[in-house]
Amino acid sequence: MGSLPLEEAVPQPLDPEAFSDDSHAVLNFLVEYYRDVDKYPVRAASLEPGRLRGLLPDAAPEWGQPMDAILEDVRRDILPGLTHWQSPSFFAYFPMNASSAGFAGEMLSAGLNVVPFIWAASPAAAELEGVVVDWMGRLLGLPRGLLFAGGGGGVLQGSTCEAVVCTLAAARDRALGRDGAAVLARLVVYASDQTHVTFQKGARLVGIPPANFRVVATSAASGHGLTADAVRAAVEADVARGLVPLYLCATVGTTGVGAVDPVRELGEVARRHGMWMHVDAAYAGSAAICPEFQGYLDGAELADSVSMNPHKWFLTNADCCCLWVARPRDLTAALSTDPEYLKNVFSCSAQDDKDVIVSAAASAIDYKDWQISLSRRFRAIKLWVVLRRYGAAGLRAHVRSHVTAAQWFEGAVANDERFEVVAPRKFSLVCFRLIRPPGLFSDDTDVNDMNRELLAGVNATGRAFMTHFVVDGKFVIRLAVGGAATEMRHVRDVWDLLQRVAGDVLRRYQS
Amino acid sequence: MGSLPLEEAVPQPLDPEAFSDDSHAVLNFLVEYYRDVDKYPVRAASLEPGRLRGLLPDAAPEWGQPMDAILEDVRRDILPGLTHWQSPSFFAYFPMNASSAGFAGEMLSAGLNVVPFIWAASPAAAELEGVVVDWMGRLLGLPRGLLFAGGGGGVLQGSTCEAVVCTLAAARDRALGRDGAAVLARLVVYASDQTHVTFQKGARLVGIPPANFRVVATSAASGHGLTADAVRAAVEADVARGLVPLYLCATVGTTGVGAVDPVRELGEVARRHGMWMHVDAAYAGSAAICPEFQGYLDGAELADSVSMNPHKWFLTNADCCCLWVARPRDLTAALSTDPEYLKNVFSCSAQDDKDVIVSAAASAIDYKDWQISLSRRFRAIKLWVVLRRYGAAGLRAHVRSHVTAAQWFEGAVANDERFEVVAPRKFSLVCFRLIRPPGLFSDDTDVNDMNRELLAGVNATGRAFMTHFVVDGKFVIRLAVGGAATEMRHVRDVWDLLQRVAGDVLRRYQS
């Protein structure tokens, strides 16, 4: 056994020629996919649970199969069961942009496949991350205190949820350090009834009692933004009961209707009560690369942390979430580890250790201490390629083109007396519905049913896909413009489609 | 403004031709990279903190740049600062496999860029995940109760750390539900002094008081495996103090020396005390596709959860961690959310809701309730392509070739009287060191320094990269065989190199 030549036994999984052949086959598949993607039904053609499971065998094959056969199965078995998030007529949820540059970045990340968990494990990967988060922060007009250049700093994570867990843990551990372990049961997290549910999940994950998660009500009067008065009242009531305000989430561009919480006013409340304030700009943060949208982040110097997702509307394939913090020390105090197998002289935490590399320096960042996980992908190169390939000007044009299209759509809805715009549009999300037809229906339940039918009817055509929200008891249809391939003509098409299906629905009710 | 044609403003980021051009440029770059990767210094050639930051501008460019220029910068500025994890002579940490099939899977995942957070958002992506985790479980010989086919089930996450946080939260919430919220401060987590540090971090993240994390000592007598007796003693002492045993981690293949905890015996202790037992087979789980290694997982039917990382030694590019649970309900009870904007008739949690899609079914899995984050990548297609392309037989050959090489290396070390194998090799990790030279040194500190010098000397050549561990006070060098391109000749080369550098080091001490 001892000297069996491995060469004879292994499938040579990184042979450059085999790699090239397989990769080219996939590339051709994807080029064809993008060429045809607007012809597929946007929402999965098949919505029968168990369909794919029924098509596939119960066990992995014993012998390897050629790539062409695998791709043929993708085409036949998998594509019909996918919702095509890259279709130009995908207007559901929020967009999840793919792009040539984002894909190129993913190829580099996956191909090099380095693991920058500590600086020493791939220095350039860690440093590039520091550079691109500063670049992004500058593009968004963030205060200098959130950049490395100003004493703060940033990290690329996989999702807002991860960023939320990390910042909640940092805030929690700061409080435990100050007030003792027993305070945990008295810590309170504040958000609005429009805040993403991930904050509630994150708070529960880090041990905040679910009863201590305050969902503060918003209303149409503030455009469904969280008012400082409402937060102040909730905080004061809690303090009076002996509870300890911990964390406040302000959202710029909520998931439901794209509402904006007033960052500066909320920041002042947070400061007064010693709370950590996080600004969640997951979707709308992309818009802030345009000066005309940067006002929504005014007051961010009062935030302890800010996050946004380039993987939504910023041409950066999944996954990629930027998190900036004002005091990296708070984050690393909650998330650092220092196991023997990773000790090296470059890590700040190991400065006093004698080690294998005979050199020393301080500025090397160990990003494992800025996130939940130890291992991590080289996401920085992806965001860097996107920024280099399109440039700030190209990315602004991308964002503005969608805002313009949403603006056009909003106008079209407003000009059709059968419809109403339910919440004022700020970015590229339009929330609208059919109003109560003259002489029909006794209450809003029927109006909601009618709009459900409209949405179901549009989605069933396969020519567009939108999702819904409920605000103030109203079922509203959300048109989230932002797909990488979405052009004005697709927005015009979906409006034509909506008008046609609405006509059918109304005729059914009126007959 | 209203009707500005978007076509004129946007950079058309998914134009098939531009996509093809950019992607081909990157592909050619990567083919060349794999062709040359064994010529690069394995550990980053430049270890000067701040080097890359100094080379790059402070802000993103205003205008887009061609892909060739970007790739030229990768070549010139970034590659010299990377540690080449895909070098065949990378023996550090644990491997992080790239492969043609893994890369093809990443291309499909990134190219399709769908988001299977709920079943309805891309049914085939969610179902493929259910299928491949069952395939993987069967390959590893896991008990049926951990597969969907047997009432359990699995999910693909990004890392063991995420899996640990999820299972800890599930165990914690089960305890809180049973004993009330106040029990949180009395919950105890058990692991060994060889358990990965991620468990300590995870326990702290979910609110377990750091003082309640038990690091149970192991010794050479049990091959540094955690003994049931030691756990039992620790648990009984805690129970006597009024504490509540919550969670026990058993590791199959520890990071430091590749030790194996006895799963069945630990499982029995866990059962007796109502603890959740997690089996962490992050690295060595890959070996369990070979029948000769499945004995190490014997007793897994007593586990509440098991995890392993295909992204380590299973030819699956980062990231990919399989987590199986015996009772999915425990996991989803801790991690479920049900916001309005994701409601649909297919989600189990929404069965009673009236909704936009007029149909209903129960078996559709919403994977957002099986993980920390809401959004997620289509990882299933990557693992599926790997399993299809290489087949179980090819993957077993991959694993066995590295075990054979490690076995050969272990024999070579054992046959050289200057060296010793410090811990018995079980998989493809060999831990060894130079022993005290005859007539030299008064204590082990000097032996450790000598081995530090040896490791630093080898790594400085750039012809191989290994890392270290400390066990029983001994500084040991770890040779982790498992790179996708690693063949027997590379293992022979590193042994030649070690002998040469060891000779130099010993001569320095002896002169």
Side-chain angles (χ1 to χ4, degrees), chain A residues 13 22 34 50 58 62 65 73 81 100 110-111 124 127 138 159 172 201 317 340 368 371 373 388-389 393 468, chain B residues 13 22 34 50 58 62 65 73 81 100 110-111 124 127 138 159 201 317 340 368 371 373 388-389 393 468:
Chain A
D22 278 1
Y34 289 136
D58 281 344
E62 181 64 17
Q65 297 162 353
D73 290 353
S100 298
E127 288 193 20
R138 283 204 176 86
S159 68
R172 179 200 63 186
K201 180 169 175 174
N317 298 47
E340 183 61 44
K368 73 177 173 59
Q371 63 175 23
S373 295
R388 293 279 310 266
R389 186 79 184 90
H468 79 286
Chain B
D22 278 2
Y34 289 136
D58 282 344
E62 182 64 16
Q65 295 163 353
D73 290 352
S100 299
E127 288 193 20
R138 283 204 175 85
S159 68
K201 180 169 176 174
N317 298 47
E340 183 62 43
K368 72 178 175 58
Q371 62 174 25
S373 294
R388 293 280 309 267
R389 186 80 184 91
H468 78 286

Side-chain angles (χ1 to χ4, degrees), chain A residues 181-209:
Chain A
V183 82
L184 181 57
R186 291 188 292 127
L187 298 175
V188 186
V189 174
Y190 300 84
S192 91
D193 55 10
Q194 302 297 309
T195 302
H196 198 283
V197 71
T198 201
F199 283 85
Q200 204 150 352
K201 180 169 175 174
R204 188 173 164 190
L205 265 173
V206 304
I208 306 295

Side-chain angles (χ1 to χ4, degrees), chain B residues 102-124:
Chain B
F103 186 78
E106 270 291 323
M107 289 174 85
L108 287 168
S109 171
L112 298 168
N113 215 41
V114 301
V115 191
F117 49 14
I118 53 175
W119 181 89
S122 243

Side-chain angles (χ1 to χ4, degrees), chain B residues 69-144:
Chain B
I70 297 169
L71 290 173
E72 192 41 47
D73 290 352
V74 174
R75 206 173 271 119
R76 194 191 54 232
D77 297 337
I78 296 181
L79 287 190
L82 293 184
T83 293
H84 299 283
W85 285 64
Q86 301 316 313
S87 165
S89 301
F90 179 97
F91 299 106
Y93 313 114
F94 275 134
M96 199 73 162
N97 280 180
S99 74
S100 299
F103 186 78
E106 270 291 323
M107 289 174 85
L108 287 168
S109 171
L112 298 168
N113 215 41
V114 301
V115 191
F117 49 14
I118 53 175
W119 181 89
S122 243
E127 288 193 20
L128 191 63
E129 187 157 336
V131 169
V132 293
V133 290
D134 266 12
W135 283 14
M136 279 299 290
R138 283 204 175 85
L139 280 180
L140 268 63
L142 291 185
R144 204 177 149 76

